[in-house]
Amino acid sequence: MKLDARWLQIVFLASFLLLGALARDFAITPAQVALCFGAALATQAAWQWGLALPQRRQWGGYLSALVSAFGICILVRAENLWAHPLLAAVAMSSKYLLRAGSGAVRSHVFNPANLAAFAAWAWLPGTWLSPGQWGAQTLAALWFIALGLVVTRRAQRWDVSLVFLASWAVLLAGRLLWLGYAWDPGAAMWLQQVGNGAVLLFAFFMISDPMTTPQRRDARLAYAVAVAAGAFGWQYLGFRPHGLIVALFVASLAVPLINRRWPQPRFAWAPAGPRPARPSRQLSRT
């Protein structure tokens, strides 16, 4: 029996949180990390036990809380101790409160970590996002891509990641050409914009979330292009920060309508055997 793909996400995200905390001095404290994880797990447990969900007694029912907590800790910074646990509680509660669709296509609307990041930037005082913390080291980018591909392939959403990255790369290259940059320093600027850790984290762990992307494949690919275009317009034409986070937040509102127009049973996280039987057609309550 193969591991649930979220275990790979957890190992991957943990390595980058530790790398940041130990090697790059991210502005986050151990207390903030502990409170974030505690709130995410406690909130997930409260909802699962309160609703008597079958996963409440199993580790698998809490893996998404760990993944979301890692995402929040990696992206969000705060000048207090209450912001991270509050965002974690809101993010996990959104899975149960903000849902759309009916029957086999019913699911939560927002990726929890994306919702938390958007809330930290747009609504919560004393918090901000730190999206460029890794720099553009080639080795880090290669690790992001390699491990990200493993995770998204296991989740059958690798196509969304690659289409988004290709669209984002083309848009950024077109901008540099339009501005008249020469190869040097244009190529270096393009590599930094495309290959930084925040973009790859977004591509492999937010927009590729199988629970909050369209279930129909061609709709997913169009969705990835639309998010890239929206983020580009917000950030480089509107000159506003955090285009990726904002674009995904807004685009998520359209996913229930897309799934309603082209209904398919939604993806379910579950351990898969050697020959998985189309997990996108399995059902789940969480």
Side-chain angles (χ1 to χ4, degrees), residues 64-251:
S64 62
L66 294 174
V67 171
S68 297
F70 274 116
I72 294 169
C73 289
I74 289 171
L75 287 175
V76 177
R77 299 293 173 264
E79 59 188 22
N80 53 63
L81 290 179
W82 53 265
H84 281 84
L86 175 61
L87 289 169
V90 169
M92 302 318 300
S93 295
S94 72
K95 294 174 51 181
Y96 302 93
L97 295 175
L98 303 177
R99 302 177 70 87
S102 60
V105 299
R106 184 170 177 79
S107 182
H108 52 281
V109 177
F110 297 105
N111 172 274
N114 176 256
L115 174 62
F118 183 88
W121 168 71
W123 300 323
L124 208 59
T127 60
W128 65 96
L129 302 186
S130 182
Q133 54 209 354
W134 296 278
Q137 286 82 352
T138 302
L139 182 59
L142 289 174
W143 275 108
F144 259 114
I145 293 172
L147 294 180
L149 279 173
V150 170
V151 172
T152 52
R153 185 65 185 94
R154 288 287 301 276
Q156 297 196 356
R157 291 296 187 269
W158 60 272
D159 50 357
V160 178
S161 298
L162 295 185
V163 168
F164 165 77
L165 285 173
S167 302
W168 187 244
V170 168
L171 288 168
L172 292 176
R175 173 179 175 269
L176 292 174
L177 289 173
W178 175 264
L179 293 175
Y181 279 92
W183 175 259
D184 186 12
M189 293 176 61
W190 180 82
L191 285 173
Q192 193 281 329
Q193 292 171 343
V194 172
N196 73 72
V199 172
L200 295 168
L201 178 72
F202 177 87
F204 291 121
F205 296 99
M206 284 192 183
I207 196 174
S208 60
D209 178 8
M211 307 303 291
T212 55
T213 52
Q215 297 301 322
R216 186 182 174 100
R217 187 171 187 270
D218 52 358
R220 284 200 303 273
L221 302 186
Y223 177 80
V225 175
V227 170
F232 180 85
W234 176 271
Q235 190 159 328
Y236 293 104
L237 301 180
F239 304 104
R240 298 179 177 92
H242 311 307
L244 297 177
I245 298 297
V246 174
L248 183 60
F249 177 86
V250 174

